[in-house]
Amino acid sequence: MTSHDLRFSDYENIVFFTGAGMSAESGVPTYRGAGGIWKEYNYEEYACQAAFDRDPEHVWEFHNYRRKLVGACPPNPGHRVIAELEKHRAVTVVTQNIDGIHQLAGSTTVHELHGGLWRLRCDHCGNRDTRRDAPLEDVHCGACHHYWRPDIVWFGDSLDREVFDQVIKAMETCDLMVAVGTSAVVHPAAQLPIVAKAGHARCVEINPEATPLSDIYDVCVRKPASEALTEMAQGLL
Ligand code: NAD
Ligand code: ZN
């Protein structure tokens, strides 16, 4: 079976499980592979709680660099297909990305497993905000003036339990699960496709390259995200 035979129109309840490859065609660097940002930056210095506690300005400098980079990246046709599909089918997006591009494209049910680059939280007073300023000029909480913390699941943080429970439920109850652009090596997110499979969903992988999880999928589409998603939407969009 190819992406030409596989149509969204044949399914009712679709979950998209997306990773960095989903946003590659928008110009956001992936984690692994050519141009990955982690090669230029030592993450331990910038993306963990210990670094933030030690030197919040330094951590904010890195996150403002990411805000500027990602803020200039528009949704690609793949993001738009997923958003448009909501008009015709029940669609849930489960993303490991922090870039907020699914929401920008118009998707309304988006579970951000690893938090969001635009989300701010104050661990001192509990205040929260969402701001797309790139860069964020004032990195202090408006209520108590302590530093905002980017609401991102950093290295060493645990996932939000509530979000994870909702995601498990979505995986268990969908009839089609499409993993797009994830290398399936970051846990526990990488186990989620197995939950969908156990729940009897048809499981599809869209990725130009094979991944350690490729064997569990019913169909692997070795094409870039936007091309594969556009083909699967034929007859519906
Ligand atoms: P990853 O970087 O480990 O893997 C990216 C995958 O995408 C690879 O398997 C690659 O073959 C595939 N890919 C590349 N171009 C593609 C395209 N055009 N279409 C489809 N697939 C394509 O990404 P990951 O599995 O998401 O894990 C990285 C972690 O880093 C995640 O936890 C994520 O939160 C974070 N991250 C997020 C962003 C973002 O928000 N956009 C970017 C980089 C990393
Ligand atoms: Zn505060």
Side-chain angles (χ1 to χ4, degrees):
M1 187 177 254
T2 67
S3 51
H4 284 290
D5 312 309
L6 192 102
R7 296 285 172 92
F8 294 136
S9 53
D10 293 334
Y11 300 89
E12 295 299 328
N13 187 345
I14 307 172
V15 168
F16 292 94
F17 175 51
T18 66
M22 178 78 228
S23 298
E25 292 166 87
S26 294
V28 184
T30 55
Y31 183 60
R32 289 163 191 86
I37 51 167
W38 306 105
K39 287 208 174 72
E40 291 166 44
Y41 283 91
N42 175 5
Y43 69 79
E44 282 162 3
E45 237 179 279
Y46 300 98
C48 67
Q49 187 66 42
F52 185 72
D53 294 341
R54 203 165 47 232
D55 190 349
E57 286 290 341
H58 203 49
V59 169
W60 262 111
E61 200 181 294
F62 171 62
H63 283 80
N64 265 334
Y65 161 79
R66 296 194 78 187
R67 277 177 167 250
K68 272 198 276 185
L69 188 151
V70 171
C73 297
N76 66 53
H79 291 106
R80 286 198 288 271
V81 164
I82 293 174
E84 278 290 304
L85 204 56
E86 270 189 24
K87 295 181 186 147
H88 308 275
R89 293 292 185 268
V91 174
T92 302
V93 178
V94 176
T95 190
Q96 298 164 86
N97 296 341
I98 58 168
D99 56 36
I101 301 182
H102 284 297
Q103 294 92 322
L104 205 57
S107 286
T108 57
T109 308
V110 182
H111 299 297
E112 294 182 308
L113 275 173
H114 295 160
L117 184 59
W118 313 109
R119 284 160 43 181
L120 304 167
R121 71 170 203 247
C122 173
D123 285 346
H124 188 74
C125 76
N127 196 10
R128 284 179 179 274
D129 204 352
T130 300
R131 289 208 222 130
R132 287 192 58 91
D133 318 27
L136 183 70
E137 298 288 351
D138 186 357
V139 295
H140 298 90
C141 163
C144 76
H145 305 293
H146 281 76
Y147 280 97
W148 283 123
R149 182 210 192 279
D151 193 12
I152 293 172
V153 178
W154 280 333
F155 295 92
D157 291 349
S158 30
L159 299 191
D160 183 305
R161 189 71 240 174
E162 211 174 300
V163 172
F164 198 69
D165 288 347
Q166 285 172 328
V167 165
I168 294 279
K169 203 168 160 207
M171 290 287 175
E172 283 171 344
T173 53
C174 64
D175 59 356
L176 178 67
M177 195 284 297
V178 186
V180 189
T182 175
S183 58
V185 293
V186 180
H187 291 272
Q191 280 139 358
L192 290 169
I194 297 165
V195 175
K197 178 93 178 159
H200 307 297
R202 172 149 266 232
C203 296
V204 179
E205 173 176 73
I206 298 176
N207 196 319
E209 291 173 33
T211 71
L213 267 195
S214 291
D215 284 350
I216 76 141
Y217 290 95
D218 301 302
V219 184
C220 292
V221 183
R222 301 273 167 249
K223 291 181 178 178
S226 58
E227 186 185 340
L229 290 166
T230 304
E231 282 174 6
M232 290 181 203
Q234 276 170 25
L236 207 51
L237 303 185

